[in-house]
Amino acid sequence: NLCHLCWFPQYYSSPTNLWVYSQREKGTMSAVLTSILYSWILPILGILGLVAALTYFGPILVVNLLSIQNLKSKYGAKWGLVTGSSSGIGLSIATKLAQQGLNVVLVARDDQFLKDAYAQLSKQYPKQEFRAVPVDLG
């Protein structure tokens, strides 16, 4: 009369127990499927949801909770060199370094973007020195 042999971790017993399901003792096959659902599938989905939430919100929390390092005071630096500083992330890094009181060497391709970045930073931070070095590093 046995219908199924399975390894089922139950909430009230250890995961290593071997449970023998029969039509008389545990009911229909839906009881077996419900047991599998509550014992394996829902906890796994819960763990996956927690991992997904941590990978999404974790970096946001780290970025917002950590303070920005002041490289001038930390290393006693006077100059910073930023490659790709004509636009995008490089220009943002050059701006942050200038905000911290560092002089900045702007390294990028020789085009109008480099000249515009140099002019913008020189105007925005008149106390800092800037050097534009046109180089194609590719």
Side-chain angles (χ1 to χ4, degrees):
N1 226 3
L2 296 177
C3 69
H4 205 53
L5 291 174
C6 291
W7 287 93
F8 281 14
Q10 302 294 325
Y11 292 117
Y12 52 85
S13 66
S14 71
T16 57
N17 289 341
L18 178 63
W19 291 92
V20 177
Y21 286 90
S22 71
Q23 294 291 339
R24 285 175 294 147
E25 295 172 0
K26 294 295 180 183
T28 64
M29 193 62 162
S30 65
V32 173
L33 295 176
T34 302
S35 177
I36 291 172
L37 176 70
Y38 287 120
S39 299
W40 288 99
I41 297 172
L42 290 179
I44 289 172
L45 290 176
I47 291 169
L48 290 175
L50 181 64
V51 168
L54 287 176
T55 56
Y56 180 78
F57 290 112
I60 293 171
L61 290 173
V62 168
V63 167
N64 289 324
L65 294 177
L66 293 178
S67 62
I68 297 173
Q69 294 185 18
N70 188 337
L71 299 178
K72 184 175 183 175
S73 64
K74 185 174 182 178
Y75 297 112
K78 295 180 183 177
W79 284 88
L81 182 132
V82 182
T83 59
S85 57
S86 60
S87 64
I89 295 172
L91 182 58
S92 296
I93 292 172
T95 304
K96 290 292 184 186
L97 292 177
Q99 285 175 353
Q100 293 179 5
L102 288 167
N103 302 317
V104 182
V105 178
L106 307 169
V107 179
R109 286 190 216 155
D110 187 19
D111 58 7
Q112 190 60 38
F113 290 117
L114 177 61
K115 295 171 188 167
D116 292 343
Y118 176 79
Q120 173 191 347
L121 291 171
S122 297
K123 182 181 175 183
Q124 193 172 3
Y125 302 99
K127 293 183 180 180
Q128 271 67 47
E129 291 183 51
F130 296 95
R131 302 280 194 268
V133 179
V135 173
D136 187 0
L137 298 174

